[in-house]
Amino acid sequence: MTRPKMLGIDFQIWASSHQSRFEDQLQQLLPQPDIAPQRLHAAMRYSVLDGGKRVRPLLAFAAGDLVGADSMRVSIVAAAVELIHAYSLVHDDMPCMDNDVLRRGKPTCHVEYDDATALLVGDSLQSLAFQLLTEHQLSNDAVQQLAMIKLLATASGSRGMAGGQAIDLTSVGNQLSVPELEFMHIHKTGALIRAAVLLGAQCGSALGEVELARLDRYGKCVGLAFQVVDDVLDSEADTVTLGKTAGKDAKQDKPTYVTLLGVQAAKQMAAELHSEALEALAEFGEPARRLCEMANFILLRKF
Amino acid sequence: MTRPKMLGIDFQIWASSHQSRFEDQLQQLLPQPDIAPQRLHAAMRYSVLDGGKRVRPLLAFAAGDLVGADSMRVSIVAAAVELIHAYSLVHDDMPCMDNDVLRRGKPTCHVEYDDATALLVGDSLQSLAFQLLTEHQLSNDAVQQLAMIKLLATASGSRGMAGGQAIDLTSVGNQLSVPELEFMHIHKTGALIRAAVLLGAQCGSALGEVELARLDRYGKCVGLAFQVVDDVLDSEADTVTLGKTAGKDAKQDKPTYVTLLGVQAAKQMAAELHSEALEALAEFGEPARRLCEMANFILLRKF
């Protein structure tokens, strides 16, 4: 598998039109800023809107594309996943965690508002994610919809994303092995990315176990690749390009793929994960085109 | 309606047997402490187990009793509500919120562990609440179960409990009117108490709109009564009796029913809410006995 050199214009149009429509949808789905409590709602909107490449939502849309899922349904699961992601960033940036002041080129929520508000913003975004998944029909089968909500709850909690962050906390200043680092990232970033892929696909007609397992392997690979690329970007880019504080992992003495493997080996690892992700999709053929392109997109962002 | 002087022995046996069985169930439902990430799981268990009178779960059990609901189903919704309540206490106690060091007679989570862990404990408890509601069957109708999850998500979020806390933040040092204080508490404490009552009842056969409206009126009244009683206790009891820091509302210059109305008028208000709660139940007759007793229990605790 050769490494892709660039992203096709067709994909770029697909991605940017989905990003733009998704932004409009988030605008509608978040509580309006004139509804009480106004300050909390303004802070929730500040923390979610107008930011990020929306990688997880795009993965959900690409997975929905694979199965011809209803795009309105996919946009709801995409929003729920993105709200969980956004809440984790707000809490992660707080002084008691990473104490970061810059996110997506703007002051972080606790800097723009205050710590207590940031705490409540994260809490409320999580509740809103589950509210969205229950107030819209996402499947013709309500039992299947319950399973979808369970998937997101599990991916978010102590044995998913939040658990990964807990492992991250204990890793500061410790020498981790590559498998230990992988275990952390499979939880911290991977769980939610896998959930985005599976939930997008589950908005369509039911997939068999074999197909779901392939999709899950794809999700696992792009989730890890995403983190490896993140580590490389964090070590190479500057703060302005990144839109968040660069080099902070090294400064905080956090183990990364770059500190453990070196930049070249980390890039090689990302390329291998990329290949494995594409292999997992091979049997799907043409309908998996957007998922393939998303794997390229994740590998190629910024390096 | 005369004010009850004491709680019957039959109720006390009912309550304590439910409390004790519920504690066992929480032990099982929370992640075991030997599962990774161990420290996070230990901190989650520390924050939830062995604490409190479990008022919300008891309300769910009493409401389940009204409709003859399956007690296993009720215990799951009771656990979900209690996990949301426990997460809110963990976050509320953090230095950036109330900065409290004592809860249920023990050091608060961030004191026993650390701030970052407390943040993740709260986040994970919220996810676990929604996970529980999806991995157990709570209704014969999955669409009804989705509506139950929506109810808890809405009661927890920015237009429910978390929103009430945001209003509470802005109230410090401000002179509120009684209606403004009521608006805050209907969200901060009331939303979750109402959810406990309605969810317990919804574990049984479907109630009509009129009956649900009565139950909701009961929930609203006991929720507010609970808060008024809390304010009275906070102003009168000492820290040892309370198991949490006493007199902190006044110290933090927070408006309470006692500071706005005085102790006597606050007690009178609690008694009136108690009467209204019982009136809302009158049409149900004998099956609402436990709900009536719970209204007494809430009014009579400690004064």
Side-chain angles (χ1 to χ4, degrees), chain A residues 92-166:
Chain A
D92 213 29
D93 287 335
M94 285 180 67
C96 66
M97 296 280 285
D98 283 357
N99 194 19
D100 218 324
V101 296
L102 197 63
R103 168 74 64 186
R104 294 170 173 171
K106 300 191 297 188
T108 46
C109 180
H110 69 277
V111 171
E112 184 72 13
Y113 291 86
D114 54 73
D115 292 2
T117 301
L119 185 60
L120 294 174
V121 162
D123 292 345
S124 301
L125 290 176
Q126 180 169 190
S127 304
L128 182 58
F130 292 107
Q131 191 184 324
L132 290 183
L133 293 182
T134 51
E135 61 190 14
H136 298 84
Q137 191 183 356
L138 305 176
S139 169
N140 296 337
D141 176 2
V143 172
Q144 159 82 353
Q145 185 159 343
L146 286 169
M148 292 166 74
I149 303 173
K150 179 184 167 185
L151 180 73
L152 186 62
T154 311
S156 306
S158 72
R159 302 191 67 181
M161 182 187 73
Q165 288 179 301

Side-chain angles (χ1 to χ4, degrees), chain A residues 31 35-37 39-41 44 87 91 94 96-97 114-117 119-120 123-124 126-127 130-131 133-135 142-143 145-146 149-150 153-154 156-159 162-163 165-167 169-170 183, chain B residues 31 35-37 39-41 44 87 91 94 96-97 114-117 119-120 123-124 126-127 130-131 133-135 142-143 145-146 149-150 153-154 156-159 162-163 165-167 169-170 183:
Chain A
I35 294 173
R39 191 162 189 273
L40 176 63
H41 287 151
M44 288 169 74
Y87 112 64
H91 281 183
M94 285 180 67
C96 66
M97 296 280 285
D114 54 73
D115 292 2
T117 301
L119 185 60
L120 294 174
D123 292 345
S124 301
Q126 180 169 190
S127 304
F130 292 107
Q131 191 184 324
L133 293 182
T134 51
E135 61 190 14
V143 172
Q145 185 159 343
L146 286 169
I149 303 173
K150 179 184 167 185
T154 311
S156 306
S158 72
R159 302 191 67 181
Q165 288 179 301
I167 301 169
L169 282 180
T170 59
F183 181 80
Chain B
I35 294 173
R39 191 161 190 275
L40 177 63
H41 288 151
M44 287 168 73
Y87 112 65
H91 280 183
M94 286 180 66
C96 66
M97 297 279 286
D114 53 73
D115 292 3
T117 300
L119 186 59
L120 293 174
D123 293 345
S124 301
Q126 181 170 188
S127 304
F130 292 107
Q131 191 184 323
L133 294 183
T134 51
E135 62 189 15
V143 172
Q145 185 159 341
L146 286 169
I149 303 173
K150 179 183 166 185
T154 311
S156 306
S158 71
R159 304 190 66 181
Q165 288 178 301
I167 300 169
L169 283 180
T170 58
F183 182 81

